[in-house]
Structure formats: structure tokens, C-alpha cells
Amino acid sequence: MKAIVIREFGGPEVLKLETVPELKPGAGEVLVRLHAAGVNPVDTYRRAGSHSYRPSLPHTPGNDGAGVVQALGSGVSGLSVGQRVYVNASLSGTYAEQALCARESVQPLSKNVSFAQGACVGIPYGTAYRALFQRAKAQSGETVLVHGASGGVGLAAVQLARAAGMRVAGTAGTPRGMDLVLREGAHAAFDHSSADYTAELMEWSGKKGFDVIVEVLANVNLAKDLQLAARYGRIAVLGSRGTIEIDPRETMARDVSIVGLSLRNATPEERPRIDAALNAGLEDGALKPVVGRELPLAEAPEAHRAVMASGAFGKIVLTI
Ligand code: NAP
């Protein structure tokens, strides 16, 4: 079977398309024939060898994907061969024709959702759900800022918050990104590259600030977020690419909480709740993953360059 294989850490050019042996599922495992793989920023950190989790080499990247069940290992129940599924983690990597997955990482794929869309669900929607509901305890009727709403996690947060009855503002760095954020359910969109957008956000919130802020780039925005948070506001930090100086006093005056999160830290009780909520949203159409760009598997290097570039527009997906 064909797979992208990394034999040394480095730039996008280390992602090579190879022919590798077919996979067989062990006990408790599912073999999925993939038709699409989602590209996430974390795949690039692992490729570069710079992530806290440094994979052993050779390594096939990717956690997200969608396809059909090809074979079931012993002891696996609740799935059938040929069933459409999406996966949110893989033991062998999803940039490949086949992926081995633990049973709990494989979810049924609603017929409303294409394979390319299914490959956008696992990490982005799981992280957005965990940020909003499990860490920031967002409630219907609250006002939410999704800071960085044009990318994978941000658009998922916009759709989830809107479906749950919140008032949603989202930011993007381009007019095209702002249009997309509005189209996907935000009540208002703001340009995070403009000089006075934080004043505009505060005005839009009725000068009360935001009950919940979902933050994808905390090293740039956390100090601003502390000023934009309402009394009892919660800032959910899910992405950061460096350090930042903040004034801790800003948390005191309005009882503001900063909560960090990693999807990997979801407990065995929390994880099935994430899956159940996402599957329901995909089934009833409230959640509609946005595929911004599709590239063939062999173009994984270009996909890794694109996912780290500005001007995000939904998800980048490799078709297989
Ligand atoms: P993505 O699809 O590449 O989107 C990146 C987003 O960041 C875009 O909306 C981009 O907007 C926005 N952005 C750029 N500059 C910004 C600024 N100054 N202020 C606010 N937003 C800005 O990436 P993603 O998959 O959504 O992931 C986002 C981050 O979360 C990444 O750092 C990723 O590693 C992290 N993450 C963490 C977890 C976790 O478990 N904690 C899980 C998934 C992802 P424009 O391009 O329109 O400017």
C-alpha cells in the first residue's frame, strides 16, 4: 500500500510517498481503508521533531482520516467491514491508504458527510468541543469570541457555539476568511490584522466583553483577551507558538479564568461525550466541516507548507 513515510526529521521535503507492506489488525484494532486524511499543525511539529511527542522513525504522520472499515481485529464490536467511518487517532498514521486504529478512535461517518469532510472532524472538532464545553463551560446565551476562526479548530468552534445558542464573534486575517467565518455561523467577523479590532470587538459585545474566548494563538493574543473578557469570563487557550507577558491583575478585577487544554487530556469519561456530541451534530447537519483545499497524498509536503501559512480557509485534506 502507499503511505507517506518520514525517515528523518526536517522540513516538508522529508515527507516521501513510499510503497510499504499491507497492515493487519491486532486484537482490539480496526483496519481502515482511508480515502482522505486531515492535515493538522501538530503533524508538522512532529515531522520537524520539535513536538513534545517525538515519534520513532520511520513514521507515517496523521491522526485524522475517513474511509471504510477494511478488517476488524479479534474482540472488536460495534463496527462492520465496509462501514463508512472517520478516525480521530491512528496507531500507524493516516497519511496512507490503510490505517490501524484502536476501536475507540473509530467513529461511524454520517451519510451527510463526505470522506474529505470526515477527515476534518477528529482533532479540530474534538478540540473545539473540549475548549468550549469541557474547559470553558460555555452555556447557551453566552457571548463567545473565537480568536482565529478561519482555520480548522476555529470554524469548528464557531459552528458548535452557534448550534448551542451562543452569540458568536470570530476573527480572521483576510476578507475571504472573514466571509467564511460569517457563512459558517458567526454573528460578526473581525480582522485580527487590523489595528483597532479589539476596540471594535468590545463595542460589539455591548462593552461587556466576552463570557468565553477560544484562543488559537495565545502568545500573540492573551494580553488582549484578558481585556476583552467579561466578568467571570473564561479564556480557553488551545494554541500558542511562543511566550507572552500578561498583567495578572487583569484576571482579578473581573474574576477571569485562563484554562489551557489538550485534546489528548480528555479523560475516559469525557472522550465518549465529545464523540457523541460531534456525531449528533454531523448527523443533524449542525456541523458541516469545511474543506478549504484538497491535495493528492503525494503532495503532503505542499499540504504541510500550506497549513502553516496565513490566510486560513477551513481544512487542508489529502485525498487517497
Ligand atoms: P489552522 O487551521 O492553521 O488555523 C490557524 C488559525 O489561526 C487561522 O484561523 C488563522 O487566521 C489564525 N490566526 C493567525 N494569526 C492570528 C492572530 N494574530 N490572532 C488570532 N488568530 C490568528 O490551525 P488549527 O488546526 O485551527 O490549529 C490552531 C492552533 O491550535 C495550532 O497552533 C494548533 O497546533 C493548535 N491545536 C491545539 C490542539 C490542542 O489539543 N490543544 C488541537 C488542535 C490544534 P488567518 O490565517 O485568517 O490569519
Side-chain angles (χ1 to χ4, degrees):
M1 67 127 176
K2 300 274 188 228
I4 294 290
V5 180
I6 297 172
R7 296 190 177 276
E8 58 178 329
F9 296 116
E13 68 284 353
V14 301
L15 299 162
K16 306 277 192 213
L17 186 65
E18 295 189 9
T19 301
V20 300
E22 301 262 320
L23 299 174
K24 279 207 182 111
E29 294 175 359
V30 181
L31 179 65
V32 179
R33 170 63 176 94
L34 292 168
H35 292 300
V39 176
N40 287 296
V42 69
D43 305 340
T44 73
Y45 318 149
R46 289 181 183 163
R47 182 213 70 225
S50 62
H51 194 259
S52 52
Y53 163 69
R54 211 164 188 252
S56 55
L57 300 179
H59 166 70
T60 292
N63 287 296
D64 285 341
V68 294
V69 174
Q70 186 172 341
L72 299 173
S74 61
V76 174
S77 59
L79 291 170
S80 53
V81 171
Q83 185 176 352
R84 285 162 49 86
V85 291
Y86 72 93
V87 308
N88 55 43
S90 170
L91 304 164
S92 59
T94 57
Y95 291 18
E97 288 178 333
Q98 295 179 325
L100 282 177
C101 302
R103 167 66 186 91
E104 60 273 17
S105 310
V106 182
Q107 296 296 319
L109 183 66
S110 161
K111 59 182 180 331
N112 303 334
V113 181
S114 69
F115 289 125
Q117 287 178 304
C120 305
V121 177
I123 289 186
Y125 280 80
T127 305
Y129 184 90
R130 180 160 176 73
L132 281 167
F133 300 108
Q134 294 183 335
R135 299 292 290 141
K137 312 288 183 203
Q139 309 266 5
S140 55
E142 289 196 310
T143 302
V144 177
L145 168 61
V146 181
H147 216 162
S150 48
V153 181
L155 281 172
V158 166
Q159 292 179 358
L160 284 161
R162 180 66 191 254
M166 295 166 213
R167 192 163 167 256
V168 185
T171 76
T174 62
R176 185 171 174 251
M178 286 165 64
D179 284 348
L180 178 64
V181 169
L182 285 174
R183 201 161 71 225
E184 293 307 318
H187 295 94
F190 297 84
D191 180 353
H192 52 230
S193 67
S194 109
D196 44 8
Y197 80 103
T198 49
E200 292 166 16
L201 277 166
M202 194 47 123
E203 200 60 36
W204 184 81
S205 74
K207 298 200 171 69
K208 290 186 177 144
F210 292 84
D211 301 305
V212 171
I213 301 178
V214 173
E215 183 51 71
V216 306
L217 198 58
N219 58 304
V220 173
N221 294 322
L222 189 55
K224 286 179 239 176
D225 292 340
L226 283 168
Q227 293 172 350
L228 286 167
R231 184 176 299 271
Y232 313 122
R234 291 87 69 202
I235 303 168
V237 173
L238 66 92
S240 188
R241 292 182 177 163
T243 58
I244 183 170
E245 189 175 308
I246 60 163
D247 180 355
R249 291 189 70 83
E250 297 274 2
T251 63
M252 294 155 54
R254 296 184 314 288
D255 277 26
V256 173
S257 308
I258 303 170
V259 291
L261 67 124
S262 169
L263 181 57
R264 279 185 301 164
N265 290 337
T267 65
E269 292 74 36
E270 288 172 324
R271 184 68 240 192
R273 293 193 191 118
I274 297 174
D275 296 327
L278 301 186
N279 292 343
L282 293 167
E283 188 63 44
D284 74 12
L287 304 181
K288 289 193 182 118
V290 177
V291 180
R293 194 169 169 198
E294 291 185 54
L295 291 163
L297 185 60
E299 289 185 34
E302 169 55 17
H304 273 211
R305 286 183 201 101
V307 79
M308 295 304 281
S310 55
F313 192 82
K315 287 290 299 177
I316 298 169
V317 168
L318 295 169
T319 50
I320 304 165

